[in-house]
Amino acid sequence: MAEKQSGYRDYSSGDIAAYSVTEASRYVRIPAPTLRTWVDGQSYGEQSMRSPFLPLLDAPEYNPTRLSFNNLIEVFTLRALRTKHGISIGAAREAMGVAQQYYQIDRLFLRPEDLRTQAGKLFLKKYGELVNLNRSCQLAMEKVLNDSLERIELDDSNLPIRLFPMAGDTNRVIAIDPSIAFGRPFIVRNGISTIAIIDRLNANEDEEEIAEDYGLLPEEMKQAIIYEQAA
């Protein structure tokens, strides 16, 4: 018998349209054409034998498409599995549907706490069955998933409120928070956006002067440069 997901969760504050596809793709390190397909879907014309690719995510605005902070969380989590294991989107979509239906969850990849528990295990189990993964591969995927979820900060209602997007940022220097810097990546200690730092560097300003103006520590300056240059 299906287990009912207890409690109603309001995602409205994180569902405000804030990012173009290009911006979102930079922030979570996924090619823009891939992200656009995930959000807008893709058709292949009447002569093609391929079935249309249906949207994987719901954006708050279309024409033009703009994504929300919650969309960033969903993309970030799914991308981690795709990057490490090259997961099949078709199989992932079906496995998500099974887990969501069984646990009556509307947006599985927006629920880090659910992904850590039975709903996440069901997703991985179903996905493994669809693509014939052995147990060791399923365990490896579970570790990647859990490592990614550790970089999402939750509020008291277990809703995502902050994302630490850099895998190598062990001190959590850089974050994305919809309530700070208009939802753009920023330095956690003082709220300075990373793009403001890079814009000044690209204008040939001295690195030490920029750090002094913003009161940045050497590690903060370094992480800002690494993050923006990787975009």
Side-chain angles (χ1 to χ4, degrees):
M1 181 176 178
E3 296 183 19
K4 185 178 178 63
Q5 183 72 30
S6 62
Y8 172 76
R9 300 184 182 183
D10 179 12
Y11 294 118
S12 58
S13 60
D15 275 330
I16 297 171
Y19 311 99
S20 68
V21 171
T22 300
E23 288 174 320
S25 70
R26 289 182 61 247
Y27 298 158
V28 294
R29 303 295 186 262
I30 185 171
T34 299
L35 180 54
R36 186 172 297 281
T37 299
W38 286 8
V39 179
D40 292 341
Q42 185 173 354
S43 60
Y44 298 98
E46 295 181 0
Q47 303 303 318
S48 175
M49 299 297 291
R50 300 176 66 181
S51 299
F53 182 92
L54 300 177
L56 191 64
L57 306 170
D58 290 323
E61 286 186 7
Y62 293 92
N63 298 319
T65 299
R66 292 185 64 78
L67 285 74
S68 67
F69 174 74
N70 284 341
N71 289 143
L72 289 190
I73 296 294
E74 293 171 308
V75 173
F76 172 81
T77 307
L78 187 56
R79 172 200 169 276
L81 292 172
R82 185 167 174 80
T83 300
K84 295 292 184 180
H85 292 279
I87 69 170
S88 159
I89 290 299
R93 186 200 302 273
E94 185 171 343
M96 286 168 59
V98 169
Q100 290 176 167
Q101 183 177 14
Y102 189 88
Y103 286 97
Q104 298 185 10
I105 295 171
D106 55 349
R107 297 169 73 178
L108 179 62
F109 277 84
L110 192 56
R111 297 178 180 269
E113 289 306 298
D114 292 322
L115 281 168
R116 286 190 178 96
T117 54
Q118 294 307 311
K121 291 182 184 299
L122 177 57
F123 164 79
L124 292 174
K125 180 176 182 295
K126 182 62 179 177
Y127 180 82
E129 292 172 353
L130 291 169
V131 297
N132 298 315
L133 287 184
N134 59 36
R135 181 56 180 157
S136 63
C137 287
Q138 289 188 47
L139 289 173
M141 286 186 66
E142 184 173 349
K143 183 181 187 308
V144 168
L145 181 60
N146 287 331
D147 287 347
S148 298
L149 297 178
E150 288 298 321
R151 291 158 61 192
I152 301 171
E153 185 175 311
L154 308 178
D155 64 12
D156 293 339
S157 300
N158 288 328
L159 294 177
I161 55 172
R162 182 170 288 189
L163 171 65
F164 300 93
M166 289 182 66
D169 185 8
T170 56
N171 294 322
R172 296 191 168 187
V173 170
I174 293 173
I176 298 173
D177 184 320
S179 67
I180 298 174
F182 302 100
R184 272 56 187 172
F186 67 98
I187 304 297
V188 172
R189 190 174 59 85
N190 59 14
I192 299 297
S193 69
T194 57
I195 193 63
I197 298 167
I198 298 306
D199 281 347
R200 291 184 60 177
L201 278 173
N202 289 340
N204 295 320
E205 294 191 39
D206 183 75
E207 185 175 326
E208 291 184 1
E209 289 183 2
I210 297 170
E212 183 176 352
D213 287 348
Y214 289 137
L216 296 173
L217 302 174
E219 176 68 8
E220 293 168 337
M221 194 72 181
K222 174 184 174 182
Q223 291 298 340
I225 293 172
I226 291 173
Y227 179 75
E228 288 294 338
Q229 285 185 338

